[in-house]
Amino acid sequence: MTRLPNHPPLPGQDSPTRVEMTENDFRHRGFMDFSVMRLRHERFAGGMTPMIERDVCYRSYAVAIVLYDPKADLLVMVEQFRVGAFAAGVNPWMLEFVAGMVKPGENAADVAVREAQEEAGCVPYNVRLIYSMLPSPGGCTEIVEIFAGLVDSTGIGGIHGVEEEVEDIRVHLVPAERAIALMDENRVPSGFTLLGLSWFARHREALRR
């Protein structure tokens, strides 16, 4: 089951639809699963490609949430260690929006609210879905649903996280103008956070009203 709409890239445009997979050989199973897939697919000009081999990373669904206090004009953001950034040679302590994994059978919006409580100590209201996205569609199955919610930031701060998950999360109250400036200065490398900030910059005034 997918959480993304299956529609062509442009409205009213037809795209190829045929894919033939002959093998999906799982080489590793763990927090993320990895397989080597052999397939061929339909070409734009007709006919099929030769058989191709691709590595695929299988990762669970995730959520993120843009937490905004319209009265104080502050975004609630978190800072934590990210092993992927460390492996890439990037500063692994990253400024992000609250995020978390969705377990089978869970409602994504409920998970976003729960993660806001666990990671930032706040309870958002007027929560709504703003985007569904694939962070790395060239080789990873992960789908992230990005939500937005309003909060009262009074008293929010400190260090949070679930001890059993070895979470060490510091909460920041970031003025809206500063957060947008950080994005424009190329200082927010987290993909879902960039996408959420881009949406927020366009909708900030409407949220304040």
Side-chain angles (χ1 to χ4, degrees):
M1 182 182 69
T2 181
R3 300 187 182 207
L4 286 173
N6 288 313
H7 52 61
L10 291 173
Q13 173 184 283
D14 292 329
S15 298
T17 59
R18 187 179 173 190
V19 180
E20 297 176 355
M21 181 180 69
T22 62
E23 185 179 12
N24 196 19
D25 180 16
F26 280 85
R27 305 290 179 87
H28 171 79
R29 292 187 183 273
F31 182 72
M32 290 179 279
D33 298 341
F34 294 88
S35 77
V36 177
M37 185 180 291
R38 288 178 55 81
L39 57 82
R40 62 179 188 160
H41 62 80
E42 188 177 358
R43 294 182 183 270
F44 290 112
M48 301 290 287
T49 65
M51 194 64 65
I52 56 178
E53 188 173 277
R54 296 289 184 266
D55 295 342
V56 181
C57 169
Y58 291 81
R59 186 176 171 126
S60 301
Y61 294 116
V63 295
I65 183 165
V66 179
L67 298 169
Y68 178 57
D69 182 339
K71 184 175 181 180
D73 199 24
L74 295 171
L75 285 164
V76 180
M77 305 185 74
V78 296
E79 178 187 358
Q80 62 184 310
F81 176 85
R82 292 300 198 184
V83 69
F86 173 74
V90 177
N91 179 5
W93 278 271
M94 310 197 82
L95 184 68
E96 298 180 323
F97 288 125
V98 164
M101 307 304 294
V102 180
K103 297 176 183 177
E106 288 188 317
N107 176 274
D110 291 342
V111 174
V113 172
R114 182 185 71 213
E115 292 294 330
Q117 293 174 291
E118 292 179 354
E119 294 191 359
C122 62
V123 180
Y125 61 96
N126 287 1
V127 174
R128 57 168 166 157
L129 177 68
I130 57 175
Y131 290 124
S132 298
M133 54 94 76
L134 288 155
S136 186
C140 185
T141 65
E142 182 182 29
I143 294 172
V144 180
E145 294 187 319
I146 304 177
F147 292 83
L150 304 181
V151 296
D152 178 356
S153 63
T154 304
I156 291 177
I159 298 173
H160 295 262
V162 178
E163 185 62 34
E164 291 77 12
E165 298 177 12
V166 198
E167 291 182 331
D168 184 46
I169 299 169
R170 182 164 59 176
V171 177
H172 295 278
L173 298 180
V174 185
E177 290 288 350
R178 182 59 177 144
I180 295 169
L182 288 172
M183 174 180 65
D184 291 339
E185 293 165 8
N186 194 25
R187 294 182 58 182
V188 184
S190 169
F192 68 83
T193 304
L194 274 174
L195 192 57
L197 276 174
S198 177
W199 176 89
F200 172 76
R202 296 195 309 277
H203 296 274
R204 175 186 171 199
E205 292 307 318
L207 291 171
R208 296 189 77 181
R209 291 194 296 269

